[in-house]
Structures are given as structure tokens and as C-alpha cells.
Amino acid sequence: MTSDLLFVYGTLMRGFDHPMARLLSANADFIGEARCRGRLYLAKHYPGLVLSDDPADIACGELYRLHEVDAMLAEFDMYEACGDGFPPPTEYLRQMLSVTLADGSPREAWTYVYNWPVTGLPPIATGKFLAQ
């Protein structure tokens, strides 16, 4: 299964003055705010998403439609240091997940899931990286 959608929840969101955030906004269409089932943790100066089956665990972010899917995913794989050429276990894994738009409609999108232990990392209780 594949998708041209990318769910972001950290430094790639609008409002961040970061080269990769600018790259995303220049090469994708902003669809809207979205959320998924998961918990955010503060890894360093950026968040990590850990998926959850608990409906109470909500992580908030933004959904984008990528123009050049393969090229853009390759760029973001490099940025997140995952995929081919990076020794496992990588800090992030790119995988598909279900996200829900503000109007309640579901989508399947790529995102980067945190892959290292979160023991000792502070949780972002609001589920919103920008609001912490």
C-alpha cells in the first residue's frame, strides 16, 4: 500500500522556520490539520510519535499531499535518518497510518514513527508539539 499523503507532527509543520519545513511547503499541498492515535514524546528539540491503540491517546499534526512522492519521501527519509543505508535500529521508521482530518474524514498517510525507547523522555501531554 502506498500514499501521496504525509502526516507531520513536529519540525516539519507550518510555523517552523526550518529548511525541511520550507521544502515540504514548496513541494506539497497543505490539506489540513489532522490527528492520529498515538503519544508524542519530546526526544530532544523535536518530538517522537509512538502509536497507541488507546482512543484517549491523540497526536495532532498536519496532512500534506506530496507532488513528487518518491523524491520527497527520499528527502524526508534522509532527514529522519531512516531507510536504506542507515544502520538499525534507526530513530524513526516511515510507515503508513490512519489519520483523521478535522471534519472527521479518515485518510491513510505516511508518517515517521519513533523507534527508540521512550523511557525517561517527557511526554507531550497535549498531543500538540507546538503547544508544549
Side-chain angles (χ1 to χ4, degrees):
M1 184 172 173
T2 190
S3 174
D4 63 352
L5 302 178
L6 179 66
F7 174 73
V8 299
Y9 55 85
T11 57
L12 295 177
M13 290 193 297
R14 297 177 306 162
F16 267 88
D17 185 27
H18 187 284
M20 294 305 283
R22 289 194 294 274
L23 181 74
L24 177 60
S25 66
N27 291 278
D29 299 320
F30 174 72
I31 294 174
E33 293 186 1
R35 63 188 186 278
C36 72
R37 215 172 260 184
R39 292 188 189 113
L40 293 183
Y41 292 87
L42 192 60
K44 290 190 180 120
H45 57 279
Y46 53 84
L49 171 67
V50 176
L51 300 182
S52 169
D53 291 329
D54 186 340
D57 292 334
I58 300 294
C60 301
E62 298 173 345
L63 192 63
Y64 289 85
R65 176 166 283 112
L66 301 173
H67 299 166
E68 300 286 334
V69 179
D70 293 339
M72 292 311 301
L73 289 176
E75 287 283 341
F76 294 120
D77 284 356
M78 289 293 292
Y79 174 62
E80 303 291 1
C82 68
D84 292 343
F86 292 98
T90 54
E91 187 175 14
Y92 290 90
L93 296 174
R94 175 164 50 90
Q95 64 186 69
M96 295 287 297
L97 84 163
S98 294
V99 300
T100 306
L101 288 164
D103 66 4
S105 60
R107 297 285 189 278
E108 292 293 317
W110 290 110
T111 198
Y112 290 89
V113 175
Y114 198 70
N115 189 42
W116 287 354
V118 294
T119 309
L121 294 182
I124 300 173
T126 62
K128 298 178 181 181
F129 176 61
L130 292 178
Q132 54 138 355

